[in-house]
Amino acid sequence: MVKHYKLGNPFETESVVVDVPFENEALSETFGKFQAGENGFLWSYKLSRNDRIFGLGESLHGMNKRGHVYESFCADEPNHTEDKVSLYGAHNFILIVPEKFQPFGVYFDYPGRIRFDIGFTKRDELTVTAEKADMHVYFITAENGSENSEKPHLAICRLFRELTGASYIPPEWAFGYMQSRWGYRTADDIRQVVARYRGKNIPLEAVFMDIDYMTEYKDFTVDPNKYPDFKNFVAEMKDMGIHLVPIIDAGVKIQSGYDVYEEGLKKGYFSADRKLDLSYPFTAAVWPGLCHFPDFFNPEARKWFGDKYKVLLDAGIDGFWNDMNEPALFYSREGLEQALLKIESYKNKNMGIGEYFSFRDSTNLSNKIEDYKNIFHQVDEKTAGNFAVSKPDHDGKVFVNHYDVHNYFGTNMTRSAAESIRQLEPNKDILLFSRASSIGAHRYGGIWTGDNESIWSHLKLNLAQMAGLNMCGFLYSGADTGGFGFNTSRELMMRWIQLSLFTPLFRNHACDGTRNQELYLFEDSKEFQAVIETRYRLLPYIKAQFMKAATENGMYFKPIGFEFTDDERAWDIEDQILCGESMMLAPVLEPNARGRYVYLPEDMTMVSFGGDEKAGVSTDKAFELKKLPKGDHWIEVPAEKGVFFIRNGREVEVAELPESGVVNTQSVLNGTLPRTLRAL
Ligand code: GLC
């Protein structure tokens, strides 16, 4: 059951797609205490010792969110250390699993900064606070056995997803293995990557084009010096079974003669600054230098920007990744001017400790709250609710402050692309995913989890994030496999692909300047080939389970306790996860490990794959099965081998790889009929 409370006059995020009439009473106290007024919003809930909290989509820490603070405020945050409270996504859905009562879910439909203190300040208190008290709050419950014996936790997640709309489904090829790197600059760089993958027989389906393909980082341009005949190059790659996926950034370079800039300015489609005058848009620097930012909240501007993707679609492009759309700001013009004045004022000064720190901080100009507070968007009066900061103009349009609605900027950028692409290419599935997101963005595209690092703790974080993301509808998601920042090691990359081969979005991506991590570069590349081939062998299962989750509002990845609800141990497992209806994953997440402990909540069949002798063999020979009884086990998993488990009595569909020609999603999924790996 869904109960909807409308507090004050909220900003309409459009994250909810069904009309749930709101309750006429005050916010129910059954679910905790609540205050709303001048001082904003506060909801608090008393936690019993063993209550568990799940959800919050893309966020830090484990699957059980208890013991930390989280802030929904889409952040350009490349250092995912444990002290951070925000990442790129803002996903305000939590599932409370009380020790003694029925579970319930809460969705805070609010576009701005909102804080979740989950037993951090006080170990037995969960508080949710926001600066404004205007929001929609949805409480979701499901009684045991009510919805055709579906587990209540799953029923609640499903009801939440029904509320927020169906998840994006990517084209079939986007379930293949994909290579990216910030650092491929020319068509020849990409040709070489493809040739080397092919040379080592490691399947590859797509190559990503990072910012260097553009002329001076200008959206919707392709540098003719680096790509002399782009359209032909796209076709050449497609002939080889390779899709190219260019990046699109949120900032539009200020440069006279650049059509996107000139049109946007003329039509008043850029976000305004404090003057609330569309002929003076907000200005800040990103990769291209000083930029304006399309007003993705304005439907006309959204359509205008989305239609720009046409130039790349016309060149044969069928996939995009939207980036820097929190939006990331390196510095604002105003911020830089103030900082320079401040630094100047310190000249010849003997700085005391306070002044020194203030001086040091004044050079940190990125992603400042003050800058976000200087950006304004135009929406209609009804959408704005109490968030309007100006009187309606003759068209009934008002301005809202960016800071108040920050979490929906990136979502509306993805929406802009998705809506136009649907119109421009109605008969084609196009790959689209984004860095920033909030609830609702899952209808328009997938997300990747942003700039992680090549460290073991981020491999573990990848696993935990999948549970929260699936609860919030982001089924097409995955991390930068191998790690984006820092230098990866062969072993970390090997363990990472052993996990990522199960994530719907499977992309190896790295930062410019780091060690190259294309799989053909590592010693004994046959071991990498065997793992990537495992992904392709499992495609029938991965795709079918993804589709089931997408069409039935289910979860592709689930915490173990969501299925084994009566098993207390299962609820606490943080390093294993359920994948689809038949599989459990227990990847190795530690360096130098020859194996790991695993807890089986029921009898299961362990399936091992990988190793150089498994590359290029028939599917029969590629997997080794062993039955293990319910309970604790030490399993041996040497570095080149991976494992998964088939649940008791279940089966997993697998494909044979084609005997000749390229191994890709098409050749595998349209090849021989899939067979089943059955639990022993
Ligand atoms: C951002 C993106 C990253 C990309 C880089 C350059 O950091 O998150 O994936 O490689 O920008 O475009």
Side-chain angles (χ1 to χ4, degrees):
M1 191 169 63
V2 180
K3 277 201 161 202
H4 170 197
Y5 296 90
K6 184 177 176 186
L7 312 179
N9 193 3
F11 178 90
E12 299 302 340
T13 63
E14 297 179 60
S15 60
V16 168
V17 294
V18 288
D19 193 14
V20 185
F22 52 87
E23 308 292 322
N24 284 322
E25 46 194 278
L27 190 68
S28 162
E29 298 259 312
T30 336
F31 300 104
K33 290 203 166 6
F34 127 93
Q35 285 164 28
E38 296 272 288
N39 297 328
F41 173 85
L42 164 76
W43 180 72
S44 68
Y45 176 80
K46 179 123 184 65
L47 293 168
S48 297
R49 196 185 172 110
N50 292 323
D51 290 359
R52 299 177 176 96
I53 317 296
F54 294 85
L56 292 182
E58 181 190 24
S59 52
L60 283 158
H61 308 293
M63 299 184 211
N64 180 354
K65 296 289 164 194
R66 193 159 175 172
H68 300 280
V69 172
Y70 307 83
E71 217 170 72
S72 285
F73 194 75
C74 295
D76 165 28
E77 175 52 79
N79 301 311
H80 307 170
T81 49
E82 287 192 29
D83 58 319
K84 300 288 160 44
V85 293
S86 306
L87 292 177
Y88 309 87
H91 307 135
N92 307 337
F93 173 60
I94 52 174
L95 175 73
I96 299 169
V97 185
E99 195 180 355
K100 299 196 185 83
F101 310 103
Q102 286 296 323
F104 64 97
V106 198
Y107 171 45
F108 302 89
D109 182 4
Y110 182 75
R113 194 175 189 168
I114 177 164
R115 189 176 169 89
F116 299 80
D117 182 333
I118 309 185
F120 178 77
T121 304
K122 285 193 182 166
R123 69 174 176 177
D124 62 352
E125 194 173 62
L126 185 170
T127 58
V128 180
T129 46
E131 286 160 37
K132 288 186 188 290
D134 303 279
M135 72 169 83
H136 296 275
V137 183
Y138 296 85
F139 285 97
I140 310 172
T141 51
E143 300 313 321
N144 232 344
S146 62
E147 322 259 349
N148 53 31
S149 83
E150 189 183 17
K151 304 239 158 48
H153 319 83
L154 297 174
I156 291 164
C157 294
R158 182 177 50 72
L159 288 169
F160 170 62
R161 301 265 302 287
E162 282 171 11
L163 207 60
T164 51
S167 296
Y168 163 81
I169 297 172
E172 195 168 88
W173 61 263
F175 287 96
Y177 170 70
M178 313 192 279
Q179 178 66 52
S180 183
R181 179 176 178 80
W182 176 12
Y184 303 150
R185 298 189 209 283
T186 64
D188 279 344
D189 288 347
I190 294 179
R191 282 191 182 101
Q192 203 192 67
V193 171
V194 175
R196 295 188 72 182
Y197 265 100
R198 293 283 187 260
K200 296 276 188 181
N201 288 322
I202 305 175
L204 176 72
E205 203 109 5
V207 179
F208 282 64
M209 298 168 67
D210 209 320
I211 47 174
D212 294 303
Y213 79 87
M214 298 181 251
T215 306
E216 297 176 87
Y217 309 122
K218 287 183 287 190
D219 281 337
F220 311 111
T221 66
V222 178
D223 188 333
N225 297 316
K226 298 175 187 161
Y227 295 84
D229 185 353
F230 186 59
K231 205 169 172 174
N232 267 331
F233 176 60
V234 178
E236 174 194 326
M237 286 293 116
K238 207 149 277 174
D239 282 348
M240 297 184 72
I242 298 293
H243 298 260
L244 294 173
V245 187
I247 196 168
I248 304 290
D249 282 343
V252 170
K253 186 175 177 66
I254 300 176
Q255 188 180 65
S256 54
Y258 172 36
D259 56 343
V260 185
Y261 159 73
E262 298 215 332
E263 266 174 51
L265 193 62
K266 200 161 112 216
K267 295 184 169 158
Y269 287 161
F270 292 124
S271 308
D273 76 4
R274 204 160 358 120
K275 290 189 270 310
L276 299 187
D277 178 343
L278 292 172
S279 14
Y280 296 96
F282 173 80
T283 303
V286 209
W287 307 121
L290 290 175
C291 289
H292 295 322
F293 299 83
D295 187 354
F296 293 112
F297 287 87
N298 168 357
E300 283 162 41
R302 207 154 57 213
K303 168 133 182 43
W304 162 74
F305 191 84
D307 286 350
K308 296 279 167 214
Y309 287 71
K310 185 171 189 304
V311 63
L312 291 162
L313 292 167
D314 286 349
I317 289 296
D318 51 9
F320 301 92
W321 48 313
N322 281 349
D323 191 25
M324 307 298 271
N325 50 356
E326 293 73 30
L329 308 175
F330 292 170
Y331 62 86
S332 67
R333 189 145 52 188
E334 242 182 74
L336 181 64
E337 276 162 19
Q338 281 166 11
L340 290 172
L341 284 175
K342 194 158 179 192
I343 290 168
E344 180 71 22
S345 75
Y346 287 119
K347 212 169 169 183
N348 304 324
K349 249 198 184 166
N350 180 356
M351 288 188 263
I353 183 164
E355 281 172 316
Y356 170 69
F357 284 126
S358 160
F359 163 77
R360 204 185 55 178
D361 291 347
S362 61
T363 59
N364 176 11
L365 301 178
S366 302
N367 308 318
K368 295 300 244 191
I369 295 289
E370 302 89 81
D371 287 330
Y372 289 133
K373 288 188 172 171
N374 270 335
I375 311 176
F376 292 83
H377 305 292
Q378 254 200 341
V379 295
D380 62 48
E381 210 184 341
K382 215 167 135 241
T383 303
N386 276 350
F387 286 59
V389 295
S390 65
K391 291 250 165 335
D393 67 8
H394 52 276
D395 292 327
K397 295 241 166 133
V398 294
F399 281 100
V400 293
N401 185 253
H402 173 87
Y403 171 78
D404 294 333
V405 298
H406 175 76
N407 294 335
Y408 277 82
F409 185 84
T411 293
N412 277 309
M413 179 182 181
T414 312
R415 177 178 179 181
S416 150
E419 287 177 345
S420 287
I421 287 171
R422 225 171 276 157
Q423 278 185 357
L424 295 165
E425 293 281 5
N427 302 318
K428 211 164 155 190
D429 288 332
I430 302 288
L431 172 62
L432 178 63
F433 64 86
S434 167
R435 193 171 73 172
S437 66
S438 47
I439 298 295
H442 68 284
R443 301 196 294 268
Y444 306 113
I447 58 168
W448 93 101
T449 56
D451 299 348
N452 59 4
E453 282 149 348
S454 300
I455 52 178
W456 290 86
S457 59
H458 283 183
L459 171 59
K460 187 159 185 209
L461 178 64
N462 183 177
L463 181 76
Q465 284 179 325
M466 292 300 124
L469 284 172
N470 272 251
M471 289 173 72
C472 294
F474 294 94
L475 302 179
Y476 190 73
S477 57
D480 282 352
T481 297
F484 175 76
F486 305 160
N487 295 328
T488 204
S489 68
R490 182 188 189 280
E491 188 193 4
L492 179 57
M493 180 50 100
M494 177 57 85
R495 292 303 194 191
W496 214 314
I497 57 174
Q498 289 168 1
L499 168 63
S500 291
L501 83 88
F502 299 97
T503 63
L505 192 176
F506 183 10
R507 182 181 76 146
N508 174 346
H509 181 49
C511 186
D512 202 9
T514 60
R515 177 186 186 183
N516 274 79
Q517 58 187 46
E518 293 77 13
L519 299 183
Y520 52 74
L521 291 171
F522 297 105
E523 304 99 302
D524 209 352
S525 65
K526 274 196 170 319
E527 291 179 357
F528 290 89
Q529 179 190 341
V531 179
I532 302 302
E533 283 178 352
T534 306
R535 160 69 162 214
Y536 281 85
R537 288 200 166 93
L538 289 171
L539 273 179
Y541 178 77
I542 293 172
K543 196 182 158 215
Q545 294 297 318
F546 178 94
M547 290 307 291
K548 194 165 171 35
T551 52
E552 295 175 10
N553 289 316
M555 292 166 69
Y556 172 87
F557 283 119
K558 280 177 271 194
I560 313 286
F562 279 35
E563 288 289 353
F564 297 91
T565 43
D566 299 331
D567 183 338
E568 279 298 314
R569 289 254 333 258
W571 277 110
D572 287 336
I573 295 178
E574 289 283 348
D575 59 354
Q576 301 171 205
I577 199 163
L578 296 169
C579 174
E581 291 178 322
S582 304
M583 247 188 217
M584 184 188 78
L585 309 182
V588 173
L589 306 168
E590 305 276 340
N592 299 317
R594 289 184 216 174
R596 56 162 288 167
Y597 285 101
V598 62
Y599 173 68
L600 306 186
E602 64 181 10
D603 294 356
M604 289 193 185
T605 298
M606 179 169 103
V607 183
S608 49
F609 57 87
D612 57 2
E613 79 285 6
K614 300 287 186 200
V617 300
S618 71
T619 296
D620 263 345
K621 298 202 180 106
F623 298 109
E624 274 160 41
L625 279 63
K626 183 176 170 192
K627 185 164 176 144
L628 292 176
K630 173 176 160 65
D632 292 288
H633 299 271
W634 166 263
I635 53 168
E636 288 197 13
V637 199
E640 72 282 7
K641 299 261 179 184
V643 287
F644 63 87
F645 293 82
I646 306 179
R647 290 183 53 189
N648 199 15
R650 313 256 169 139
E651 52 190 40
V652 167
E653 284 191 312
V654 289
E656 195 62 64
L657 303 184
E659 272 168 32
S660 57
V662 178
V663 172
N664 61 20
T665 43
Q666 210 189 0
S667 65
V668 171
L669 291 169
N670 298 339
T672 52
L673 281 179
R675 294 187 301 110
T676 47
L677 281 183
R678 268 181 237 286
L680 300 175

